[in-house]
Amino acid sequence: MRYCLALDLINDSALIAEYERYHEKIWPEIETSIRESGITNMEIYRIENRLFMIMETGETFSFEQKSINDSANPIVQEWEKLMWQYQQALPTAKPGEKWMLMERIFAL
């Protein structure tokens, strides 16, 4: 399965540069958490302060289960708290919602 998600960064060039530095080499525990959830490939792209994530997963992947596992993992919670210093929700996000699932509107 392939999922595409979007999120914004705070529109500050210094903060964006720091965010990108963190993603040059993510914490090993974060990579482990991502892989153990069933995500087989993940890429993040940026234009200005908009982020676009592509996730490829196995058939057993579940956003709900990943959320449960992440909530119980103190290292993931520490990472999420740190990243939220650089991120901001999209204008239509619900309270507490970060990465928003995008709808595919075209495929060739």
Side-chain angles (χ1 to χ4, degrees):
M1 299 291 299
R2 179 180 296 141
Y3 300 97
C4 299
L5 300 99
L7 177 68
D8 283 348
L9 293 173
I10 295 169
N11 199 5
D12 176 288
S13 59
L15 291 177
I16 290 171
E18 282 180 37
Y19 185 83
E20 289 185 352
R21 278 194 298 277
Y22 274 109
H23 285 80
E24 288 173 5
K25 180 143 179 63
I26 62 172
W27 298 350
E29 300 89 350
I30 301 306
E31 182 175 345
T32 298
S33 170
I34 290 168
R35 292 190 185 283
E36 287 180 350
S37 73
I39 298 169
T40 57
N41 190 40
M42 177 185 282
E43 297 178 355
I44 299 175
Y45 295 85
R46 180 181 68 80
I47 183 165
E48 299 171 0
N49 69 316
R50 175 74 34 100
L51 299 175
F52 174 64
M53 178 192 294
I54 303 170
M55 287 179 13
E56 294 178 357
T57 71
E59 292 182 14
T60 61
F61 174 79
S62 160
F63 281 105
E64 294 77 17
Q65 189 60 52
K66 178 153 180 30
S67 180
I68 291 167
N69 293 347
D70 288 352
S71 295
N73 184 324
I75 301 296
V76 171
Q77 290 305 303
E78 182 181 350
W79 175 265
E80 288 299 326
K81 183 178 179 184
L82 176 63
M83 292 303 103
W84 193 240
Q85 295 176 43
Y86 304 97
Q87 300 167 334
Q88 63 182 4
L90 295 176
T92 58
K94 298 175 184 141
E97 189 173 30
K98 291 185 179 185
W99 287 97
M100 294 183 68
L101 194 58
M102 299 175 73
E103 178 182 350
R104 183 172 74 177
I105 62 167
F106 175 78
L108 182 65

